[in-house]
Amino acid sequence: MAIQQYLSVPVVDSKTAVVNVLIVLIFGSTAIQCYSPATGQLLGLVNPSTPDGIDRAVAKAAKAQIDWAQTTFAQRRQVLRSLLNFVLDNQDTIVRAACLDSGKTRVDGVLGEIFVTAEKLKWTLNHGEKALKPERRPSNRLMFYKKNEVRYEPMGVVASCVSWNYPLHNLLGPVISALFAGNAIIVKCSEQTAWSSQYFVNIARSALVACGHEPDLVQVLACWPQTAGHFTSHPGISHLTFIGSKPVAHEVLKSAAKSLTPVCVELGGKDAAIVLDHPTGKASSESEMQRVTSIIMRGFFQSSGQNCIGMERVIAMPIAYNRLITLLTPRIQALRSGPDLDLPVGQQVDVGAMISSASFDRLESLVSQAVAQGARLLAGGRRLTHHLHSAGHYFQPTLLVDVTSSMRIAQEELFAPICILMRADSPSHAVGITNSTIYGLGCSVFGPTGSSAARAQLEWVTQRVKTGMVAVNDFAVFYAVQLPFGGVRNSGYGRFAGEEGLRSLCNIKSVCSDRWPGLIKTAIPGKLDYPMGEGAYGMGKGVIEFGYGESLGRIVAGIRRMIGV
């Protein structure tokens, strides 16, 4: 593939790249200009899809899906196993592509792209068939002669509109589930990561070809916003997953409603990391606080804070609050920002670039407003001009403490490398702060476990936070084990991942058939048969009493009504 040849080329000077981008713009190209957020390096051009192109993609996918729907689970596993082996064998190339296109560090790439993709593949290989096998369901007294089954059948062509923050995983995640459920899929990638998406989709298509299947089952397209509505309203699409912002979601949902396409919506959040003190007022051990601090650092600064389930707030009780300020301050101040590829030996980068500088004015304003309202800025707080890559998009790793719920920065999703600390006086106060935003995606709850009272406190908080997911004494591990992913309130609805996510891409068909077809079948009693005879109403009442009466007397009375006694 051409992109693999490119991936071996060292990073060019960012000033040259900026000139190249300007030349492209001057000539008025309608193509999507792709560049590295870390350096400004021009990566290439991607032609945007047109309405006609979208129609052709849907038609090709629909045609390929006819045969794919008839494949066995063993055949589908073969494709996914081929895909898993390629991902594991080509980690360096995949990570490099993701880093070039999104600006993240290689560590963020291996954890946020390779790890979660390998986990999704492995979970589907091990548990996907069980999730999609027909299920037997119970019958009742009236229908004792029936057997009941729920089947999970392919929907046809499904689609996914994915965000840019995890260019490999956000693209392949929906592909994995769609293929295993027997569907074809079209992924609309973000314009901001369209370059690497061309490579990543070819990984999936090549796995299909290697196993003797039609590559048109998986397709990717990039388009400008004015064309996206043709895609999201397309009548050939049976299901749509959308990952993005609330304003865009409103437009997507209005568009999908035209063809009554069901939509799973994931809109991000304002995830809290709650840190509890011991119910007795005893401080947690130093080693435990160091452990929690390290997890908080990863929760806030992985992918420069551009993480759907990244931490956005630390809400800590008094003892933990003071200790966290002491522990976090020097570590955040020591974080190093910059591009992570082709570094000289001995150099290290902790935090990569942000996807663009579009949010920098808003972020700086939110920090300034919070400080004016009483918050203390202990690190960062503004954009960063890299000394070698002035065209890169960097924001200083930031620590803001003494933040309160009345401040905008405590309510709005930041999606940036900004750690804010909020003080809570009690577990109920911490829950109240957590639930004070419009969001409800995920949450981490940290606390002692050495006594029944401490464990009960953890469970009390876990039950009362209004979120779709909770990690107890950890961060985001619910996704690392493929539990259903999704939120409540303004974080969206529907679930992907896990059994629930896999089944959501299926037509759930209820089938009721005769248990003993040669012995007994449904027959309409004479009095109830059209034209109905005298006593039909009484017989109808008797059927209900026999079927649903709980006492022996009522059941017997029902039988007597049915036989007219």
Side-chain angles (χ1 to χ4, degrees):
M1 301 176 189
I3 191 169
Q4 289 181 323
Q5 296 175 347
Y6 182 84
L7 290 173
S8 64
V9 176
V11 175
V12 299
D13 179 72
S14 60
K15 292 181 180 179
T16 304
V18 172
V19 172
N20 289 340
V21 172
L22 289 175
I23 291 173
V24 170
L25 292 175
I26 289 170
F27 279 92
S29 171
T30 60
I32 298 169
Q33 292 90 34
C34 306
Y35 67 95
S36 172
T39 63
Q41 173 193 9
L42 180 66
L43 300 175
L45 305 177
V46 173
N47 288 324
S49 294
T50 63
D52 286 344
I54 292 170
D55 291 342
R56 289 192 297 271
V58 173
K60 288 180 180 179
K63 181 179 179 181
Q65 193 270 337
I66 294 172
D67 289 337
W68 180 251
Q70 304 305 314
T71 55
T72 64
F73 287 123
Q75 288 174 304
R76 297 172 194 177
R77 276 194 294 269
Q78 183 187 29
V79 173
L80 297 194
R81 191 167 285 112
S82 174
L83 186 55
L84 174 60
N85 289 332
F86 183 92
V87 169
L88 295 179
D89 290 342
N90 294 273
Q91 294 183 58
D92 291 343
T93 302
I94 291 170
V95 166
R96 186 173 180 85
C99 291
L100 280 170
D101 214 8
S102 67
K104 65 182 61 183
T105 66
R106 287 174 297 164
V107 171
D108 288 343
V110 79
L111 294 178
E113 307 282 7
I114 304 294
F115 167 54
V116 289
T117 301
E119 163 56 26
K120 191 174 187 74
L121 282 162
K122 193 66 173 175
W123 182 93
T124 308
L125 286 166
N126 291 343
H127 307 291
E129 182 174 355
K130 178 184 175 183
L132 297 184
K133 271 191 170 182
E135 286 185 331
R136 296 295 294 271
R137 295 293 174 89
S139 196
N140 56 42
R141 189 182 299 148
L142 284 174
M143 297 289 115
F144 73 94
Y145 60 96
K146 295 291 186 180
K147 60 179 181 180
N148 310 310
E149 191 175 72
V150 176
R151 300 175 185 174
Y152 300 96
E153 300 181 346
M155 299 184 86
V157 179
V158 300
S160 189
C161 298
V162 299
S163 54
W164 43 261
N165 51 335
Y166 291 99
L168 171 79
H169 182 69
N170 285 352
L171 190 152
L172 285 189
V175 168
I176 294 164
S177 296
L179 288 179
F180 199 79
N183 299 309
I185 183 169
I186 303 173
V187 180
K188 180 199 168 298
C189 66
S190 168
E191 308 93 281
Q192 291 168 306
T193 50
W195 179 77
S196 61
S197 295
Q198 311 306 306
Y199 169 47
F200 296 145
V201 75
N202 279 332
I203 296 175
R205 289 168 62 89
S206 298
L208 285 164
V209 171
C211 297
H213 301 290
E214 175 56 56
D216 283 344
L217 282 163
V218 177
Q219 300 185 50
V220 68
L221 60 88
C223 65
W224 296 115
Q226 59 268 28
T227 308
H230 186 80
F231 177 63
T232 53
S233 65
H234 202 287
I237 291 174
S238 301
H239 183 278
L240 177 64
T241 299
F242 173 78
I243 303 173
S245 68
K246 181 181 174 183
V248 177
H250 282 296
E251 299 305 315
V252 169
L253 291 169
K254 285 190 291 185
S255 177
K258 296 176 183 177
S259 53
L260 295 180
T261 303
V263 185
C264 173
V265 183
E266 195 274 285
L267 304 179
K270 192 70 176 173
D271 290 12
I274 300 173
V275 187
L276 304 170
D277 291 335
H278 196 282
T280 63
K282 178 183 176 182
S284 295
S285 67
E286 181 63 17
S287 62
E288 175 62 9
M289 290 306 299
Q290 291 282 1
R291 185 189 76 88
V292 172
T293 299
S294 292
I295 293 176
I296 288 173
M297 292 289 291
R298 173 60 56 184
F300 276 96
F301 298 106
Q302 178 171 310
S303 293
S304 299
Q306 301 165 120
N307 186 356
C308 298
I309 49 172
M311 294 177 180
E312 290 260 336
R313 301 171 290 165
V314 176
I315 302 169
M317 288 176 59
I319 298 174
Y321 183 85
N322 292 329
R323 188 69 188 124
L324 283 172
I325 291 177
T326 301
L327 292 172
L328 285 168
T329 301
R331 294 185 65 169
I332 294 175
Q333 290 174 340
L335 291 176
R336 298 154 294 186
S337 300
D340 189 43
L341 298 176
D342 306 307
L343 286 173
V345 176
Q347 291 191 20
Q348 183 65 49
V349 165
D350 303 300
V351 182
M354 295 185 67
I355 195 68
S356 79
S357 60
S359 64
F360 287 1
D361 286 344
R362 182 180 72 91
L363 294 173
E364 290 176 343
S365 175
L366 289 172
V367 171
S368 297
Q369 287 179 25
V371 171
Q373 293 171 339
R376 290 185 291 144
L377 180 63
L378 302 184
R382 60 184 63 88
R383 69 194 74 196
L384 170 68
T385 301
H386 194 273
H387 65 288
L388 293 177
H389 302 285
S390 59
H393 306 311
Y394 296 96
F395 198 90
Q396 295 175 344
T398 297
L399 176 61
L400 195 65
V401 304
D402 298 344
V403 174
T404 64
S405 294
S406 62
M407 300 175 185
R408 282 181 58 204
I409 201 166
Q411 298 295 319
E412 298 183 14
E413 185 178 30
L414 303 178
F415 229 55
I418 299 176
C419 177
I420 68 173
L421 262 65
M422 307 175 72
R423 180 187 174 109
D425 299 325
S426 65
S428 60
H429 189 205
V431 169
I433 296 172
T434 299
N435 294 339
S436 66
T437 74
I438 63 174
Y439 298 103
L441 187 57
C443 182
S444 294
V445 183
F446 297 93
T449 58
S451 68
S452 58
R455 293 189 293 273
Q457 178 180 254
L458 274 172
E459 180 60 25
W460 189 90
V461 172
T462 299
Q463 288 181 355
R464 285 162 177 78
V465 290
K466 296 178 181 178
T467 63
M469 302 168 288
V470 178
V472 178
N473 274 320
D474 215 323
F475 160 63
V477 286
F478 34 74
Y479 197 58
V481 293
Q482 286 297 292
L483 288 175
F485 185 101
V488 297
R489 299 189 289 166
N490 280 236
S491 287
Y493 51 81
R495 295 293 184 270
F496 56 83
E499 290 187 6
E500 292 79 1
L502 199 53
R503 291 174 174 177
S504 73
L505 297 177
C506 297
N507 171 34
I508 301 177
K509 181 181 287 184
S510 300
V511 178
C512 184
S513 58
D514 291 321
R515 191 184 301 273
W516 307 289
L519 295 177
I520 182 171
K521 297 179 181 179
T522 297
I524 306 298
K527 290 182 180 180
L528 294 175
D529 200 7
Y530 289 116
M532 290 184 288
E534 185 178 352
Y537 179 67
M539 174 170 276
K541 289 179 64 178
V543 170
I544 293 170
E545 289 180 336
F546 168 74
Y548 303 103
E550 295 191 342
S551 68
L552 179 60
R554 186 176 290 276
I555 294 171
V556 171
I559 295 173
R560 290 171 63 87
R561 284 182 182 274
M562 286 192 292
I563 63 177
V565 177

